[in-house]
Amino acid sequence: MKVYTAIYGPANAVERTAALREMGVSGVFTFEGPHDVFAPLTLASTVGDMDLLTNVAIAFPRNPIHLAHQANDLQLLSSGRFTLGLGTQIRPQIEKRFGVEFGRPTARMGELVAAVRAIFDCWNTGTRLDFRGEYYRHTLMTPTFNPGPNPFGPPPIFVGALGPRMTRTAAEVADGLLVMPFNSARYLRERVLPAVWEGLAVGGRDPRTFTILPEVIVAVGDTDEEQAAADAATRKLLGFYGSTPAYRPVLELHGWGDLQTDLNALSKRGRWQDMARLIDDDILETIAARGKPAQVAADIRDRVGGISDRVCFYQPYAPSDRTMGELVGYLTGDR
């Protein structure tokens, strides 16, 4: 199994990527947090033999031309090991933080992927750029701004999703699906997979050409102290995620729908510690893979077995490199 995990910011991107490579990690990803999502991967591309992934770059505040240039350059720098992962974020973040329109996100995402593909096609095959959609229009590409064919081909485009509509859209138009981390083994199989098959059918696509890349929240510890720290950080993360209406379906599937209402009310009052206390052991161990490295590895295999040969770790608490290396070893077959 291939294991991907996050790097955080540009300051130590090269050193951390090299260390993860030594642990047996196959690739690194970035997300839209306090740092730019592309810059750390530019630095990480110098390490070599590591897959690179944005997980995810927020799509709507960016223009398809910007995304195409950034993705094309990273594909070049990484010798063909880059994947452009795109996501929508939630309405308040898009409208209030980025200051752009959010309406009809599934339709907009489908068109954005098509626009980026049209730009890639123009650069790689010489096809005239003539993309005219409802949200995006690209009809000019003069030689000055055309990088020409990428020797490694255009990078694949993955879309991050969890709900059925965006999951269907990802399966219909993208090269892969990034399953967002607030999920469970049951939700993955009962909700995500059916939406994937529907999208593939609508798009008339071969399932063998589509990649499902699950992300799993990992609370791993090799000592009681490390496990306690991992559990505490994970409860905070699950409380934060659970307060968001977009993630209510995961809780409802397990009979915890009212928890979302309670968490949301607490979040509006800034009672973050109280939110974490509502995450009991049953919720923690259903949504996160928790325990010692061998136990977490077995849980991950049970979750994604038969679905994917890759997994992304989401770690709200950074375990020791020894613990991390042990977990990776169980999953990659090195232990």
Side-chain angles (χ1 to χ4, degrees), residues 207-227:
R208 293 172 295 183
T209 66
F210 187 75
T211 299
I212 299 174
L213 180 49
E215 189 166 359
V216 177
I217 296 172
V218 171
V220 63
D222 210 24
T223 65
D224 290 345
E225 181 180 4
E226 192 173 46
Q227 188 66 64

Side-chain angles (χ1 to χ4, degrees), residues 187-266:
Y187 191 88
L188 180 61
R189 296 179 187 278
E190 294 185 16
R191 296 291 188 269
V192 173
L193 289 185
V196 168
W197 307 143
E198 289 176 21
L200 291 173
V202 170
R205 308 185 64 194
D206 184 345
R208 293 172 295 183
T209 66
F210 187 75
T211 299
I212 299 174
L213 180 49
E215 189 166 359
V216 177
I217 296 172
V218 171
V220 63
D222 210 24
T223 65
D224 290 345
E225 181 180 4
E226 192 173 46
Q227 188 66 64
D231 289 351
T234 303
R235 291 183 203 276
K236 289 181 181 179
L237 178 67
L238 296 184
F240 170 74
Y241 269 133
S243 70
T244 305
Y247 295 115
R248 187 182 183 99
V250 178
L251 297 172
E252 286 182 333
L253 181 64
H254 293 278
W256 302 323
D258 290 343
L259 175 64
Q260 191 276 322
T261 303
D262 295 340
L263 290 169
N264 186 260
L266 289 171

Side-chain angles (χ1 to χ4, degrees), residues 2-334:
K2 281 190 170 185
V3 174
Y4 300 155
T5 193
I7 54 174
Y8 304 95
N12 67 340
V14 174
E15 295 83 355
R16 188 58 188 160
T17 301
L20 290 167
R21 181 172 179 251
E22 289 300 310
M23 295 177 212
V25 171
S26 301
V28 295
F29 63 85
T30 52
F31 66 95
E32 292 272 11
H35 298 283
D36 178 71
V37 73
F38 292 101
L41 296 179
T42 300
L43 298 168
S45 69
T46 63
V47 174
D49 298 329
M50 291 286 276
D51 294 339
L52 307 177
L53 170 70
T54 53
N55 186 17
V56 290
I58 305 306
F60 301 156
R62 294 181 168 94
N63 182 280
I65 287 286
H66 292 135
L67 288 168
H69 276 294
Q70 289 169 311
N72 187 69
D73 286 349
L74 276 165
Q75 179 78 332
L76 205 63
L77 290 171
S78 65
S79 300
R81 291 176 284 105
F82 176 69
T83 296
L84 177 63
L86 299 173
T88 62
Q89 252 292 359
I90 59 175
R91 181 185 294 272
Q93 292 288 331
I94 295 300
E95 293 182 344
K96 296 179 180 180
R97 182 160 67 98
F98 290 105
V100 297
E101 187 179 345
F102 184 75
R104 300 182 63 204
T106 53
R108 189 183 298 267
M109 179 63 81
E111 187 176 296
L112 184 142
V113 171
V116 174
R117 283 231 176 88
I119 297 162
F120 285 159
D121 190 48
C122 171
W123 292 345
N124 284 278
T125 69
T127 302
R128 181 174 176 269
L129 182 60
D130 188 22
F131 185 87
R132 302 168 191 263
E134 181 178 356
Y135 304 102
Y136 304 102
R137 179 185 176 96
H138 303 281
T139 59
L140 178 66
M141 182 57 61
T142 54
T144 300
F145 305 108
N146 188 336
N150 191 310
F152 305 102
I157 304 172
F158 286 18
V159 169
L162 190 64
R165 293 180 63 186
M166 190 61 74
T167 299
R168 284 194 295 268
T169 296
E172 186 178 348
V173 305
D175 299 300
L177 168 70
L178 295 164
V179 184
M180 295 291 95
F182 192 87
N183 68 76
S184 65
R186 183 180 170 192
Y187 191 88
L188 180 61
R189 296 179 187 278
E190 294 185 16
R191 296 291 188 269
V192 173
L193 289 185
V196 168
W197 307 143
E198 289 176 21
L200 291 173
V202 170
R205 308 185 64 194
D206 184 345
R208 293 172 295 183
T209 66
F210 187 75
T211 299
I212 299 174
L213 180 49
E215 189 166 359
V216 177
I217 296 172
V218 171
V220 63
D222 210 24
T223 65
D224 290 345
E225 181 180 4
E226 192 173 46
Q227 188 66 64
D231 289 351
T234 303
R235 291 183 203 276
K236 289 181 181 179
L237 178 67
L238 296 184
F240 170 74
Y241 269 133
S243 70
T244 305
Y247 295 115
R248 187 182 183 99
V250 178
L251 297 172
E252 286 182 333
L253 181 64
H254 293 278
W256 302 323
D258 290 343
L259 175 64
Q260 191 276 322
T261 303
D262 295 340
L263 290 169
N264 186 260
L266 289 171
S267 72
K268 291 178 179 179
R269 296 160 62 187
R271 292 172 57 181
W272 307 108
Q273 291 298 327
D274 291 336
M275 291 165 64
R277 294 189 190 101
L278 293 184
I279 306 300
D280 62 26
D281 288 349
D282 192 17
I283 299 169
L284 177 64
E285 294 180 357
T286 297
I287 297 177
R290 176 191 179 275
K292 291 186 177 296
Q295 181 181 353
V296 170
D299 187 345
I300 290 173
R301 287 192 180 279
D302 286 344
R303 288 172 185 249
V304 307
I307 297 173
S308 181
D309 61 355
R310 312 182 198 183
V311 66
C312 287
F313 287 174
Y314 193 135
Q315 298 158 258
Y317 166 78
S320 68
D321 285 357
R322 181 181 60 80
T323 300
M324 179 70 170
E326 190 175 347
L327 171 58
V328 172
Y330 280 119
L331 287 168
T332 61
D334 290 339

